[in-house]
Amino acid sequence: MKRIFLVLAMIIIISCQTVNAQTSIEPNADYNRISLMYQYRDFGGDGVNGFEIGYVHGFAMSKNTPLFFQTGLKMDMGFKSESASESGLDMSGSLTTMSFSVPLDISYKLVFGENSNVAFIPFAGFNLKLNALAKLSAKASYNGQHESESISLFDDEIGMKRFQAGWHIGLGFQINRFYAGADFGTDFIKIMDYGNHTPTFHLGIGYMF
């Protein structure tokens, strides 16, 4: 996670240094956005940190009103690890996840500023998610003996869902071509039959073009 935050910080610094290069924002024009976001996902009751990389295109729905339909493709990965030691027994476990999602949003581009180079972009909508990877790895050692095992959470005994659908709401801020935003949402479909829904939070930056 430290590397992700370092990358985010470097991009923010570079973007702030180029703020003086004014770029007007057209209120009713289509837009593209690529983004790198920090992600926190409540994965069946366990908090999992990770990141999301995404591309979104905003289709103008009117020539006179800055209303847009947003869609695209996003990929996220999550990581969690724990370890414990007791009476000579050392144990560790890790969880790795990967998902792909398609957002289906309605957004509004509120442009203002002396040179029309600043905009707020609130949005809300639904998402379709494919859980592609969910691997749990465990290791244990005792008196020089070592054991390890990896299992997929999609196994019948665990029954994690491959497909989920949900909702989200968020707010983006654009200055020139630099973007910063946050969103929160959850899934309608539980991650497992006996599990929980999966609330997810994103915070990060992007580039508009």
Side-chain angles (χ1 to χ4, degrees):
M1 287 300 103
K2 291 182 179 179
R3 292 183 178 179
I4 295 175
F5 284 117
L6 180 60
V7 171
L8 291 174
M10 291 176 62
I11 296 176
I12 289 173
I13 292 172
I14 293 172
S15 299
C16 290
Q17 291 176 343
T18 60
V19 149
N20 291 329
Q22 304 291 345
T23 301
S24 296
I25 301 172
E26 298 182 32
N28 302 314
D30 288 8
Y31 57 85
N32 298 282
R33 181 175 73 243
I34 54 175
S35 59
L36 173 62
M37 314 287 280
Y38 161 74
Q39 173 176 279
Y40 176 85
R41 186 180 182 190
D42 186 345
F43 196 83
D46 293 319
V48 178
N49 293 296
F51 66 90
E52 177 191 82
I53 299 173
Y55 165 78
V56 166
H57 181 82
F59 296 91
M61 300 177 65
S62 170
K63 293 183 179 180
N64 302 315
T65 304
L67 192 65
F68 299 83
F69 171 67
Q70 285 190 158
T71 189
L73 180 63
K74 300 179 179 181
M75 185 275 287
D76 67 74
M77 295 200 70
F79 308 93
K80 183 180 179 66
S81 61
E82 294 182 348
S83 60
S85 181
E86 183 177 354
S87 301
L89 175 63
D90 296 320
M91 300 169 289
S92 63
S94 63
L95 174 66
T96 303
T97 67
M98 180 172 65
S99 302
F100 296 90
S101 61
V102 175
L104 304 169
D105 303 336
I106 297 297
S107 67
Y108 189 87
K109 189 195 299 183
L110 179 60
V111 179
F112 62 96
E114 182 178 351
N115 298 297
S116 299
N117 68 319
V118 176
F120 282 105
I121 309 175
F123 59 91
F126 304 96
N127 59 272
L128 306 176
K129 181 186 297 178
L130 173 66
N131 294 311
L133 173 68
K135 184 176 71 172
L136 182 63
S137 299
K139 296 180 180 180
S141 61
Y142 182 73
N143 289 337
Q145 301 294 318
H146 303 277
E147 295 290 340
S148 62
E149 186 176 359
S150 294
I151 60 173
S152 171
L153 299 187
F154 300 116
D155 289 349
D156 293 339
E157 293 80 4
I158 301 175
M160 178 176 161
K161 303 291 181 61
R162 287 279 187 180
F163 175 80
Q164 290 181 283
W167 62 268
H168 55 262
I169 186 170
L171 176 64
F173 174 74
Q174 181 183 352
I175 178 167
N176 300 320
R177 296 190 180 277
F178 170 69
Y179 173 89
D183 65 77
F184 172 81
T186 190
D187 292 293
F188 302 128
I189 303 173
K190 292 183 178 181
I191 191 69
M192 303 172 191
D193 288 335
Y194 55 86
N196 302 321
H197 297 282
T198 49
T200 303
F201 171 75
H202 294 108
L203 174 66
I205 56 177
Y207 182 79
M208 308 285 289
F209 60 97

